[in-house]
């Protein structure tokens, strides 16, 4: 079995402080790869250093919509940083009307710039959306995000939003939230998303899956997300592992056999 965590933050202090422990649990749980996702340009060098140190860790470049007062990336800057062979995606980017309030035109402009960069460099987008689904989908359409493709990460929206994203060629990624007992609506969405368009992730160090809810999360625990998807879809964990790993490999152009990025 081969599992991939399509979204984690290994550079955040809780995980960065014990990377060897994190790698050990990945090996134990057959999580062979992980994508370490950038949230600011200031922290991008740390993300890249981890991806350079470990052959099975990939990186993205982007500035998360929750971060105000950080360097604002131009498309040209993002494209330039995305040239590194371990950088397989642009993001995470998107809109968040839950955590950030006020006039959020800057957030929408930042999102547009990430989509423009992804189109220019031909790398897929990692999209975060919270209480902003309508504007997120509108901007994706206006900027031609379907030309870059990508993933709706840590998906918590409705089936209708999932369908709009699927129509644009995007993948849908489920996190530990899908294992939570009260996440009934999300479990229904996870029953419907075509398996060949599904990814799994931890979003660690946050959102540890059941039975570790509330504890520190890490990539090795993506196994529990796969197990819940398997249960919901009446498949084996092996089948879910195989299809989501194939999807990861296809979307991010990562050759899973020799652990090298195909660029
Ligand atoms: Ni994230």
């Amino acid at each position: 079995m081969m599992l991939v965590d399509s979204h984690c933050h290994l550079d955040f202090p809780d995980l960065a402080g014990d990377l060897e422990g994190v790698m050990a649990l990945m090996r134990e749980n057959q999580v062979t790869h992980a994508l370490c996702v950038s949230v600011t340009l200031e922290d991008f060098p740390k993300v890249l250093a981890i991806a350079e140190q470990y052959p099975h860790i990939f990186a993205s470049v982007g500035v998360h919509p929750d971060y105000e007062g950080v360097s604002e990336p131009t498309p040209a800057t993002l494209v330039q940083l995305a040239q590194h062979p371990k950088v397989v995606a642009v993001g995470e980017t998107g809109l968040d009307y839950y955590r950030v309030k006020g006039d959020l035109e800057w957030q929408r402009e930042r999102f547009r710039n990430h989509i423009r960069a992804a189109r220019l460099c031909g790398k897929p987008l990692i999209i975060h959306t919270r209480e902003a689904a309508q504007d997120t989908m509108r901007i994706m359409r206006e900027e031609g995000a379907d030309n870059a493709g990508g993933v709706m990460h840590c998906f918590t929206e409705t089936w209708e939003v999932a369908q709009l994203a699927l129509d644009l060629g995007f993948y849908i990624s489920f996190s530990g939230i899908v294992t939570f007992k009260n996440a009934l609506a999300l479990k229904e969405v996870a029953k419907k998303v075509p398996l060949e368009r599904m990814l799994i992730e931890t979003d660690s160090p946050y959102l540890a899956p059941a039975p570790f809810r509330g504890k520190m999360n890490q990539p090795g625990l993506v196994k529990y997300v796969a197990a819940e998807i398997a249960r919901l879809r009446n498949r084996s964990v092996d089948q879910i592992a195989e299809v989501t790993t194939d999807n990861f490999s296809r979307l991010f152009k990562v050759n899973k056999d020799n652990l090298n990025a195909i660029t």
Side-chain angles (χ1 to χ4, degrees):
M1 186 168 75
M2 211 176 159
L3 287 158
V4 178
D5 181 0
S6 73
H7 191 117
C8 61
H9 300 284
L10 294 176
D11 59 309
F12 287 17
D14 285 346
L15 294 172
D18 182 25
L19 280 182
E20 286 310 315
V22 166
M23 300 304 162
L25 189 70
M26 284 178 71
R27 278 193 298 276
E28 194 178 313
N29 287 351
Q30 296 168 285
V31 181
T32 59
H33 302 66
L35 173 47
C36 183
V37 174
S38 160
V39 296
T40 65
L41 293 186
E42 284 80 355
D43 287 335
F44 175 68
K46 284 196 266 178
V47 171
L48 200 55
I50 293 169
E52 284 176 335
Q53 186 185 350
Y54 296 98
H56 60 300
I57 306 296
F58 299 95
S60 74
V61 61
V63 181
H64 192 292
D66 284 359
Y67 291 78
E68 277 184 279
V70 296
S71 300
E72 200 58 50
T74 62
T77 301
L78 292 168
V79 168
Q80 190 218 329
L81 296 173
Q83 297 312 305
H84 189 287
K86 290 303 291 278
V87 174
V88 299
V90 174
E92 62 182 285
T93 182
L95 301 177
D96 192 324
Y97 297 170
Y98 174 79
R99 286 201 183 274
V100 194
K101 303 289 181 194
D103 179 2
L104 297 181
E105 190 50 34
W106 61 267
Q107 215 182 57
R108 290 184 284 274
E109 194 54 31
R110 182 185 286 174
F111 183 29
R112 288 182 190 278
N113 281 332
H114 280 76
I115 299 172
R116 290 163 190 162
R119 291 186 60 176
L120 286 167
C121 69
K123 297 200 177 182
L125 288 153
I126 298 169
I127 294 185
H128 167 111
T129 183
R130 191 151 183 210
E131 291 190 8
Q134 204 179 346
D135 280 2
T136 300
M137 301 314 304
R138 175 176 58 80
I139 289 173
M140 285 169 70
R141 280 191 299 272
E142 287 173 3
E143 296 293 337
D146 53 321
N147 287 295
V151 56
M152 307 303 288
H153 113 85
C154 194
F155 194 79
T156 53
E157 302 292 334
T158 61
W159 169 238
E160 286 66 35
V161 175
Q163 280 178 299
L164 291 173
L166 290 165
D167 287 347
L168 289 178
F170 273 67
Y171 290 69
I172 307 289
S173 181
F174 293 95
S175 69
I177 294 174
V178 80
T179 69
F180 298 171
K181 254 193 206 127
N182 56 352
L184 296 174
L186 189 61
K187 289 179 199 288
E188 289 307 309
V189 176
K191 286 182 185 174
K192 291 185 197 165
V193 170
L195 286 178
E196 68 275 12
R197 299 286 284 283
M198 187 185 284
L199 294 177
I200 51 175
E201 66 172 79
T202 59
D203 205 9
S204 52
Y206 312 119
L207 298 171
F212 304 99
R213 191 169 180 182
K215 303 229 170 76
M216 189 187 82
N217 198 4
Q218 54 176 311
L221 299 183
V222 79
K223 186 174 128 179
Y224 294 86
V225 179
E228 177 63 7
I229 300 282
R231 189 186 71 80
L232 292 167
R233 301 298 289 250
N234 287 315
R235 304 290 176 116
S236 66
V237 179
D238 277 311
Q239 285 173 315
I240 298 302
E242 186 175 7
V243 72
T244 54
T245 298
D246 284 349
N247 294 343
F248 181 91
S249 170
R250 188 185 327 116
L251 175 62
F252 296 110
K253 302 183 184 72
V254 167
N255 185 333
K256 62 177 182 172
D257 295 324
N258 63 13
L259 308 181
N260 286 325
I262 307 161
T263 50

